[in-house]
Amino acid sequence: MILTRLSTLLRERQRASLAELARGVDASPEALQPMLATLERKGRIRHLGAGSRCSSGCCKCDPATLDVYEWIADAAAD
């Protein structure tokens, strides 16, 4: 159930930090990491890591502290 919500959220936002995803599905970042690893292995997302920007573009967070993921499954189908 959480994996489906996580996929939907990331597909809608296209790019989000681990903290944003955790808030969005009401789960801890630690609980999401194995699910994100599964989605990455399946080629649905890409881990962009520290130094990347999330989708909000607010620039309030230090990019070096962000753990960002990007939805790529739809692009792979094109």
Side-chain angles (χ1 to χ4, degrees):
M1 183 76 130
I2 292 177
L3 187 59
T4 302
R5 288 177 28 214
L6 181 62
S7 295
T8 300
L9 179 63
L10 199 45
R11 187 180 310 117
E12 289 171 355
R13 292 191 182 186
Q14 291 298 305
R15 186 181 280 193
S17 70
L18 179 58
E20 287 177 302
L21 294 169
R23 281 190 303 271
V25 298
D26 195 29
S28 72
E30 295 80 16
L32 293 184
Q33 288 174 327
M35 293 178 230
L36 290 164
T38 298
L39 291 172
E40 189 171 16
R41 271 194 316 275
K42 291 183 174 190
R44 294 188 180 139
I45 67 169
R46 174 177 32 223
H47 180 228
L48 300 176
S52 301
R53 289 191 171 190
C54 63
S55 64
S56 70
C58 69
C59 300
K60 290 181 181 177
C61 300
D62 177 5
T65 65
L66 290 178
D67 207 7
V68 178
Y69 292 86
E70 180 176 50
W71 183 261
I72 60 171
D74 298 333
D78 290 341

